[in-house]
Amino acid sequence: MHTTSPDQPLRLLRVLGSPRGAASESRRLSQQIVDALVATRSVALTDVDTSELPAVDSGYALALAAREDPQTPAAAGSALHRSDALIAQLAAADAVVIATPMHNFTLPSSLKAWVDHIVRIRATFSVTPQGKIGSLRDRPVYVAISSGGLITGESARQPDFMRPYLRHTLATIGLHDLHFVTVEGTALGEAALCAGRQAATEAVDKLFARR
Ligand SMILES: Cc1cc2nc3c(=O)[nH]c(=O)nc-3n(C[C@H](O)[C@H](O)[C@H](O)COP(=O)(O)O)c2cc1C
């Protein structure tokens, strides 16, 4: 499953999508995933806080719309330069954890900004007559989602565009091995939060018991 030998630390990239920092419920859940990985082998963890990531700009949009990449390296500080760094960071990871709240039925805008930086023509996918083909090596991606209401099962009263969106978008760049864990009902009172956390813990245990 993982591409490094067990003697090497697992290079784990964690992408944090919540604006709530250490208080974030999705971050809390993602830490359980990190801990489960740490329990089996040594891990070198790198965090990316997407709340510090600006949206892509017009220079970036122009560069992507051009027929080929610029011949000169991207200028330091430009969105293209930042995109180069984020893609290199992702490409170097053996596994990825995404921690994200549900915002208006989908991912928060800061995490979308990360997606816009890493899903990039000629860099992480190419366009072919068969459609977009990803160029990144596949690796496990664990997605920890927190939602104020319920998003799974018959009790859910809202659509979930997050999971299908991430499945489709990450598959576009070659990442197909996705594992979702959710903590749901965080806004429904203390009892619901406890039940949501308990269900999430059981889901993480189940996920890693199989590995
Ligand atoms: C702007 C915004 C939009 C939200 N939209 C939804 C939503 O569509 N569905 C939902 O269940 N919860 C929604 N919530 C609640 C969050 O998903 C919930 O509080 C979650 O636990 C926050 O996770 P975090 O602590 O990791 O940020 C929204 C919260 C915010 C701030």
Side-chain angles (χ1 to χ4, degrees):
M1 179 201 43
H2 296 136
T3 49
T4 52
S5 90
D7 303 335
Q8 300 283 320
L10 180 83
R11 290 164 301 185
L12 183 62
L13 177 68
R14 178 166 61 173
V15 183
L16 298 160
S18 171
R20 299 202 321 121
S24 160
E25 194 64 34
S26 54
R27 183 187 184 122
R28 184 179 190 277
L29 178 56
S30 76
Q31 190 59 43
Q32 292 183 255
I33 295 170
V34 173
D35 291 346
L37 289 166
V38 168
T40 61
R41 60 179 299 176
S42 70
V43 169
L45 176 67
T46 303
D47 279 342
V48 179
D49 184 351
T50 62
S51 65
E52 292 163 4
L53 201 59
V56 295
D57 58 16
S58 65
Y60 186 77
L62 268 175
L64 266 61
R67 295 190 70 83
E68 52 188 44
D69 284 333
Q71 300 302 307
T72 50
S78 67
L80 210 54
H81 191 257
R82 192 177 305 113
S83 163
D84 286 344
L86 291 168
I87 288 171
Q89 194 177 45
L90 174 59
D94 301 311
V96 180
V97 177
I98 298 175
T100 178
M102 178 70 77
H103 277 183
N104 294 313
F105 319 122
T106 188
L107 57 169
S109 54
S110 65
L111 182 58
K112 176 61 164 54
W114 180 78
V115 168
D116 289 339
H117 281 91
I118 56 115
V119 180
R120 185 173 132 198
I121 190 165
R122 296 180 293 274
T124 52
F125 73 90
S126 51
V127 176
T128 75
Q130 288 72 43
K132 296 177 179 177
I133 306 286
S135 52
L136 290 186
R137 160 178 59 82
D138 202 5
R139 69 209 77 197
V141 179
Y142 304 98
V143 187
I145 301 173
S146 60
S147 58
L150 304 180
I151 58 168
T152 305
E154 290 182 358
S155 304
R157 294 286 174 270
Q158 58 182 325
D160 167 16
F161 298 115
M162 166 103 76
R163 284 176 282 192
Y165 176 82
L166 286 176
R167 264 197 196 292
H168 191 87
T169 309
L170 296 178
T172 299
I173 60 172
L175 305 183
H176 303 273
D177 187 17
L178 266 58
H179 307 269
F180 293 98
V181 184
T182 62
V183 54
E184 305 185 26
T186 64
L188 301 180
E190 197 57 34
L193 176 61
C194 283
R197 284 179 173 172
Q198 179 63 30
T201 298
E202 284 167 17
V204 172
D205 289 348
K206 199 169 155 196
L207 182 59
F208 288 95
R210 284 194 268 119
R211 283 157 193 267

